[in-house]
Protein backbone atom coordinates (compact mmCIF):
# COMPACT_ATOMS: atom_id res chain seq x y z
CA UNK A 1 0.00 0.00 0.00
CA UNK A 2 1.35 3.44 -0.92
CA UNK A 3 0.47 6.51 1.10
CA UNK A 4 0.42 10.20 0.26
CA UNK A 5 -0.54 13.00 2.61
CA UNK A 6 -2.37 16.17 1.69
CA UNK A 7 -1.53 19.31 3.60
CA UNK A 8 -3.76 22.29 3.09
CA UNK A 9 -2.55 25.62 1.81
CA UNK A 10 -3.30 29.03 3.22
CA UNK A 11 -5.70 29.35 0.27
CA UNK A 12 -7.53 26.05 0.94
CA UNK A 13 -11.16 26.64 1.92
CA UNK A 14 -12.04 25.79 5.50
CA UNK A 15 -14.81 23.49 6.66
CA UNK A 16 -17.66 23.27 5.99
CA UNK A 17 -17.26 22.61 2.33
CA UNK A 18 -13.80 21.09 2.06
CA UNK A 19 -15.09 17.51 2.03
CA UNK A 20 -17.60 18.57 -0.64
CA UNK A 21 -14.69 19.77 -2.79
CA UNK A 22 -13.02 16.37 -2.37
CA UNK A 23 -16.23 14.60 -3.39
CA UNK A 24 -16.62 16.89 -6.42
CA UNK A 25 -13.03 16.19 -7.51
CA UNK A 26 -13.60 12.44 -7.22
CA UNK A 27 -16.90 12.69 -9.13
CA UNK A 28 -15.09 14.58 -11.90
CA UNK A 29 -12.84 11.54 -12.29
CA UNK A 30 -15.70 9.07 -12.39
CA UNK A 31 -14.90 7.73 -8.94
CA UNK A 32 -17.56 6.18 -6.73
CA UNK A 33 -17.70 5.33 -3.05
CA UNK A 34 -18.06 1.58 -2.58
CA UNK A 35 -19.97 1.80 0.67
CA UNK A 36 -17.00 0.61 2.70
CA UNK A 37 -15.43 3.25 4.89
CA UNK A 38 -12.85 5.33 3.00
CA UNK A 39 -12.92 3.06 -0.10
CA UNK A 40 -13.31 4.63 -3.54
CA UNK A 41 -13.44 2.73 -6.83
CA UNK A 42 -12.08 4.58 -9.84
CA UNK A 43 -13.15 4.32 -13.48
CA UNK A 44 -10.44 1.72 -14.23
CA UNK A 45 -11.42 -0.42 -11.24
CA UNK A 46 -8.46 0.68 -9.10
CA UNK A 47 -9.09 1.34 -5.42
CA UNK A 48 -8.21 4.51 -3.55
CA UNK A 49 -8.69 5.05 0.17
CA UNK A 50 -9.21 8.59 1.49
CA UNK A 51 -9.07 9.49 5.18
CA UNK A 52 -9.67 12.79 6.96
CA UNK A 53 -11.42 14.75 4.22
CA UNK A 54 -13.03 16.85 6.92
CA UNK A 55 -9.83 17.41 8.94
CA UNK A 56 -8.70 21.04 9.15
CA UNK A 57 -5.01 20.38 8.57
CA UNK A 58 -4.90 17.68 5.89
CA UNK A 59 -5.96 14.33 4.49
CA UNK A 60 -4.42 10.97 3.73
CA UNK A 61 -4.77 8.81 0.62
CA UNK A 62 -3.65 5.22 0.16
CA UNK A 63 -3.61 3.08 -2.95
CA UNK A 64 -2.38 -0.47 -3.57
CA UNK A 65 -1.38 0.12 -7.21
CA UNK A 66 -0.63 3.37 -8.99
CA UNK A 67 -2.72 3.69 -12.15
CA UNK A 68 -3.38 6.70 -14.40
CA UNK A 69 -6.86 6.97 -12.82
CA UNK A 70 -5.34 7.11 -9.32
CA UNK A 71 -2.94 9.87 -10.39
CA UNK A 72 -5.79 11.78 -12.06
CA UNK A 73 -7.92 11.52 -8.90
CA UNK A 74 -5.07 12.68 -6.64
CA UNK A 75 -4.37 15.61 -8.94
CA UNK A 76 -8.07 16.51 -9.10
CA UNK A 77 -8.24 16.60 -5.30
CA UNK A 78 -5.09 18.73 -5.18
CA UNK A 79 -6.54 21.21 -7.64
CA UNK A 80 -10.03 21.41 -6.12
CA UNK A 81 -8.81 21.80 -2.56
CA UNK A 82 -5.80 23.97 -3.45
CA UNK A 83 -3.62 21.66 -1.34
CA UNK A 84 -0.12 20.24 -1.39
CA UNK A 85 0.78 16.56 -1.37
CA UNK A 86 3.61 14.97 0.59
CA UNK A 87 5.05 11.64 -0.50
CA UNK A 88 3.85 9.89 2.63
CA UNK A 89 4.00 10.59 6.34
CA UNK A 90 7.28 12.34 7.03
CA UNK A 91 7.80 12.77 3.29
CA UNK A 92 10.46 15.01 1.85
CA UNK A 93 8.79 15.88 -1.46
CA UNK A 94 6.00 18.43 -1.57
CA UNK A 95 3.91 18.48 -4.76
CA UNK A 96 1.46 21.09 -5.91
CA UNK A 97 -0.43 21.45 -9.15
CA UNK A 98 0.84 24.15 -11.51
CA UNK A 99 -0.94 27.42 -10.83
CA UNK A 100 -1.73 26.56 -7.22
CA UNK A 101 -0.97 29.46 -4.93
CA UNK A 102 -0.49 29.73 -1.20
CA UNK A 103 1.82 28.26 1.37
CA UNK A 104 1.30 25.18 3.53
CA UNK A 105 -1.19 26.10 6.26
CA UNK A 106 0.65 24.02 8.83
CA UNK A 107 4.38 24.79 8.90
CA UNK A 108 6.47 21.75 8.01
CA UNK A 109 8.97 20.63 10.61
CA UNK A 110 11.65 19.76 8.06
CA UNK A 111 12.91 20.96 4.73
CA UNK A 112 11.18 19.57 1.66
CA UNK A 113 11.70 19.71 -2.08
CA UNK A 114 8.82 21.49 -3.85
CA UNK A 115 7.72 20.31 -7.29
CA UNK A 116 4.88 21.47 -9.50
CA UNK A 117 3.02 19.07 -11.76
CA UNK A 118 1.14 20.04 -14.89
CA UNK A 119 -0.94 16.91 -15.43
CA UNK A 120 -1.70 13.39 -14.21
CA UNK A 121 1.07 11.88 -16.37
CA UNK A 122 3.67 14.05 -14.65
CA UNK A 123 2.29 13.06 -11.24
CA UNK A 124 2.35 9.38 -12.24
CA UNK A 125 6.00 9.64 -13.31
CA UNK A 126 6.89 11.44 -10.10
CA UNK A 127 5.15 8.90 -7.84
CA UNK A 128 6.63 5.95 -9.77
CA UNK A 129 10.08 7.48 -9.44
CA UNK A 130 9.61 7.83 -5.69
CA UNK A 131 8.45 4.23 -5.39
CA UNK A 132 11.46 3.01 -7.39
CA UNK A 133 13.85 5.07 -5.26
CA UNK A 134 12.38 3.60 -2.11
CA UNK A 135 12.66 0.05 -3.39
CA UNK A 136 16.32 0.48 -4.42
CA UNK A 137 17.33 2.36 -1.29
CA UNK A 138 18.96 -0.06 1.11
CA UNK A 139 16.92 -0.62 4.19
CA UNK A 140 18.34 -0.05 7.62
CA UNK A 141 21.24 -2.36 8.29
CA UNK A 142 20.21 -5.40 10.18
CA UNK A 143 21.49 -5.59 13.69
CA UNK A 144 24.36 -7.90 14.28
CA UNK A 145 23.53 -11.27 15.75
CA UNK A 146 22.97 -11.06 19.45
CA UNK A 147 25.95 -12.01 21.47
CA UNK A 148 25.54 -14.23 24.40
CA UNK A 149 27.54 -13.22 27.41
CA UNK A 150 30.60 -15.26 28.10
CA UNK A 151 29.87 -18.01 30.53
CA UNK A 152 31.62 -18.11 33.82
CA UNK A 153 34.00 -20.91 34.47
CA UNK A 154 32.56 -23.79 36.45
CA UNK A 155 32.79 -23.16 40.14
CA UNK A 156 32.64 -19.36 39.75
CA UNK A 157 29.55 -17.41 40.72
CA UNK A 158 28.60 -13.76 40.92
CA UNK A 159 28.87 -13.85 44.69
CA UNK A 160 32.46 -15.07 44.36
CA UNK A 161 33.18 -12.05 42.17
CA UNK A 162 31.43 -9.65 44.52
CA UNK A 163 33.19 -10.93 47.60
CA UNK A 164 36.66 -11.13 46.18
CA UNK A 165 37.35 -14.70 45.11
CA UNK A 166 40.14 -14.67 42.53
CA UNK A 167 39.01 -15.31 39.02
Amino acid sequence: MFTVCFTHATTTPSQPGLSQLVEAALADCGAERTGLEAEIRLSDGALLYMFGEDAPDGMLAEYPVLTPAIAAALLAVLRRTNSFMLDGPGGRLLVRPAGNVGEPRTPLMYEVELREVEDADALTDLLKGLRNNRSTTPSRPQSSPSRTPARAKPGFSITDFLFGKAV
Side-chain angles (χ1 to χ4, degrees), residues 21-146:
L21 291 175
V22 172
E23 292 304 318
L26 294 171
D28 289 347
C29 298
E32 296 178 338
R33 296 270 178 186
T34 64
L36 297 176
E37 185 177 357
E39 188 175 80
I40 301 158
R41 184 172 310 282
L42 299 168
S43 58
D44 65 352
L47 293 175
L48 176 66
Y49 301 90
M50 296 281 303
F51 304 94
E53 296 95 323
D54 55 354
D57 54 350
M59 304 172 276
L60 185 85
E62 292 185 332
Y63 53 93
V65 176
L66 181 61
T67 67
I70 295 275
L74 294 174
L75 186 60
V77 170
L78 282 173
R79 284 186 174 142
R80 282 277 189 149
T81 62
N82 211 25
S83 295
F84 295 90
M85 185 174 68
L86 283 167
D87 61 317
R92 299 291 178 174
L93 179 67
L94 192 64
V95 178
R96 74 173 166 195
N100 191 1
V101 295
E103 296 296 319
R105 188 181 290 170
T106 305
L108 301 173
M109 296 186 319
Y110 42 83
E111 222 173 290
V112 295
E113 177 185 351
L114 178 63
R115 296 237 187 121
E116 286 192 356
V117 293
E118 295 280 334
D119 55 25
D121 291 336
L123 184 58
T124 300
D125 293 342
L126 188 63
L127 292 173
K128 281 183 179 178
L130 289 170
R131 183 180 67 209
N132 290 339
N133 285 344
R134 286 183 186 152
S135 65
T136 59
T137 303
S139 59
R140 286 191 290 163
Q142 300 224 346
S143 60
S144 59
S146 63

